Amino acid sequence: MSIAEEKTTQQVDGRLNRSTRTRAAIVEAMVALVGEGNAAPTSEDVAERANVGLRTVFRHFEDMETLYQEVDQVIKARVFPQFDLETLTGPLEERARKLIERRAHIFTAVRPFMTCTIARKWKSPYLARSYDAFAELQRTFLFNNLPELKELSPALQHAADQVTSYESWTRMKDVQQLDVADIIEAQLAGVLAIIRGA
């Protein structure tokens, strides 16, 4: 390789590295804003936090939908590996308590991002799908760990799903103003009452 060719290669590599760093900075800015409680950061908010121009944001991401997709993947990659998602064993009440305690930890970790998803999912097909996928993941783990629910009527299955859901958790936290320990006890009592009372 000639000196000129090597110099050209280095320039291209340098531009690619800068581009990769800028893209990552934009994603990190969005993650930080949402994590701090900004449920609906604008492209202007993201540009300011990332210390780049607004045009730079849209040069890297065609629209906010594209940015949502990348941010969602980053959050999932960071959050979910923190938690033990193995199938539970043991007596019913022990399994139910462990399941709900696990959910409390996950719900606490994803809360600011779920708030953003809920605020934006009406205009974002990607976030709507992500929201639905999280609900389905909750149902899957519920029935895998409490197979007793599979013996119940569809109505009671839906009730158990609702009682232990993220939406139930946030309502008890925000509207009823319960602390996490009390929410765990309430959700545990609810799902056990459904199973045992059937």
Side-chain angles (χ1 to χ4, degrees):
M1 181 182 292
S2 69
I3 294 175
E5 288 173 332
E6 184 174 345
K7 185 176 180 181
T8 299
T9 300
Q10 289 173 348
Q11 289 172 339
V12 170
D13 289 346
R15 284 194 295 270
L16 288 173
N17 287 338
R18 282 193 300 275
S19 177
T20 300
R21 287 195 302 271
T22 300
R23 187 179 181 91
I26 292 167
V27 171
E28 286 300 326
M30 182 74 160
V31 170
L33 286 165
V34 174
E36 291 165 6
N38 185 341
T42 64
S43 52
E44 290 83 0
D45 294 333
V46 174
E48 183 178 351
R49 174 59 68 91
N51 199 27
V52 300
L54 186 58
R55 289 182 181 179
T56 300
V57 173
F58 288 109
R59 193 161 55 243
H60 286 272
F61 298 93
E62 295 177 7
D63 50 32
M64 292 300 283
E65 181 82 346
T66 311
L67 179 55
Y68 294 151
Q69 292 180 34
E70 195 152 329
V71 167
D72 186 60
Q73 294 304 314
V74 167
I75 292 165
K76 286 175 180 173
R78 290 181 185 175
V79 170
F80 284 104
Q82 300 176 41
F83 302 104
D84 176 11
L85 300 177
E86 293 295 320
T87 302
L88 299 168
T89 58
L92 170 61
E93 185 166 346
E94 183 181 314
R95 281 181 284 121
R97 178 176 291 281
K98 184 65 176 176
L99 173 73
I100 291 167
E101 287 174 345
R102 281 181 179 179
R103 286 180 180 226
H105 291 303
I106 293 173
F107 293 165
T108 300
V110 303
R111 186 178 186 207
F113 306 105
M114 284 298 293
T115 301
C116 178
T117 296
I118 291 166
R120 296 286 190 147
K121 73 186 182 78
W122 311 107
K123 293 184 178 181
S124 168
Y126 179 83
L127 291 180
R129 290 193 301 273
S130 180
Y131 180 84
D132 291 344
F134 187 52
E136 183 58 38
L137 182 66
Q138 292 173 63
R139 281 191 292 272
T140 298
F141 276 99
L142 177 66
F143 286 94
N144 284 350
N145 288 289
L146 302 180
E148 293 87 349
L149 291 169
K150 297 175 183 177
E151 306 301 318
L152 305 184
S153 69
L156 289 175
Q157 291 178 6
H158 292 314
D161 183 26
Q162 175 58 35
V163 163
T164 60
S165 68
Y166 175 80
E167 291 76 11
S168 169
W169 188 87
T170 55
R171 186 182 189 283
M172 283 190 273
K173 187 158 186 60
D174 296 337
V175 178
Q176 296 172 253
Q177 298 186 337
L178 301 180
D179 62 27
V180 172
D182 288 335
I183 296 171
I184 289 170
E185 294 305 320
Q187 289 190 323
L188 177 63
V191 75
L192 289 176
I194 289 168
I195 293 171
R196 291 170 172 166

